[in-house]
Amino acid sequence: MTKLLTRADMHHYQEHTVQHILSNPAAGVFLDMGLGKTVSTLTALESLMFDLMEVGKVLISAPKRVAEHTWTSEIEKWAHLKHLRISRVLGSEKQRLEALKVKAEIYIINRENIPWLVAHYGGGFPFDCLVLDELSSYKNSDSKRFKSLKMVRPKIKRVIGLTGTPAPNGVEDLWGQLYLLDMGERLGTTVTSFRERYLVKENEYAQFSK
């Protein structure tokens, strides 16, 4: 039987990430693949739920393959996370509805079903903490998944966004992602104002420097 890892086995930068999440209700975790975003986030969630008592029900949105395996397998590796219960809201609509009835601390859903989930709960969205695994999946502010989360974002106490590529196609990709974290505090409340404030100046500078 494989020996479980303990919190003492976490790297210094992972503990720093945990503290960053705990200190910021809107936390962006921009780390490269393989640097422990998942265990750092789970450790912070465990503390928020059982030590600080700030969070009661967590929703994780992730790519389908990640939703199926990654988070559950990570919990199984670490002794301090073993008591966390995950319900995977995947599969057919019937299977998803059954998964939502399961008593758990963490519910994980593939990002494509976010609009379905928001529509299912209507105005009574029950999750007070949201983890966006691969935050850059929400870079398009015209997408259904972005618009759905934008509607319920004011109801959510804490948001954690994870990605190693926050600007895969350029600076404009940042607005939608940052909006879901802080509702416009840093980059403005509309993508139009963001473009006017940052991208127009950037284009003017590029032309001037030629």
Side-chain angles (χ1 to χ4, degrees), residues 68-186:
E68 289 172 337
H69 303 293
T70 302
W71 289 84
T72 303
S73 63
E74 197 67 29
I75 283 176
E76 293 171 352
K77 295 177 186 177
W78 297 86
H80 68 288
L81 303 175
K82 283 287 285 185
H83 62 286
L84 294 178
R85 296 169 296 178
I86 281 187
S87 180
R88 290 177 289 190
V89 188
L90 306 171
S92 66
E93 183 173 19
K94 181 180 178 181
Q95 291 171 318
R96 280 177 264 146
L97 290 171
E98 288 300 317
L100 290 174
K101 296 176 183 177
V102 173
K103 190 173 182 180
E105 285 79 39
I106 300 171
Y107 297 79
I108 183 164
I109 190 167
N110 57 303
R111 57 196 176 190
E112 292 80 8
N113 279 323
I114 283 291
W116 170 85
L117 183 71
V118 172
H120 169 70
Y121 282 113
F125 202 69
F127 303 98
D128 54 2
C129 181
L130 172 67
V131 178
L132 299 175
D133 189 353
E134 199 40 67
L135 179 62
S136 60
S137 299
Y138 293 88
K139 64 182 183 291
N140 182 2
S141 59
D142 291 324
S143 67
K144 291 182 179 179
R145 69 182 72 153
F146 174 88
K147 291 179 179 178
S148 295
L149 285 185
K150 184 181 179 183
M151 287 192 298
V152 297
R153 176 61 184 87
K155 301 176 183 292
I156 303 170
K157 185 188 301 182
R158 282 183 169 268
V159 178
I160 306 164
L162 315 178
T163 184
T165 54
N169 301 309
V171 174
E172 189 167 354
D173 286 348
L174 291 173
W175 184 82
Q177 299 174 71
L178 268 291
Y179 182 90
L180 291 181
L181 290 182
D182 64 14
M183 293 185 287
E185 180 180 341
R186 291 172 178 83

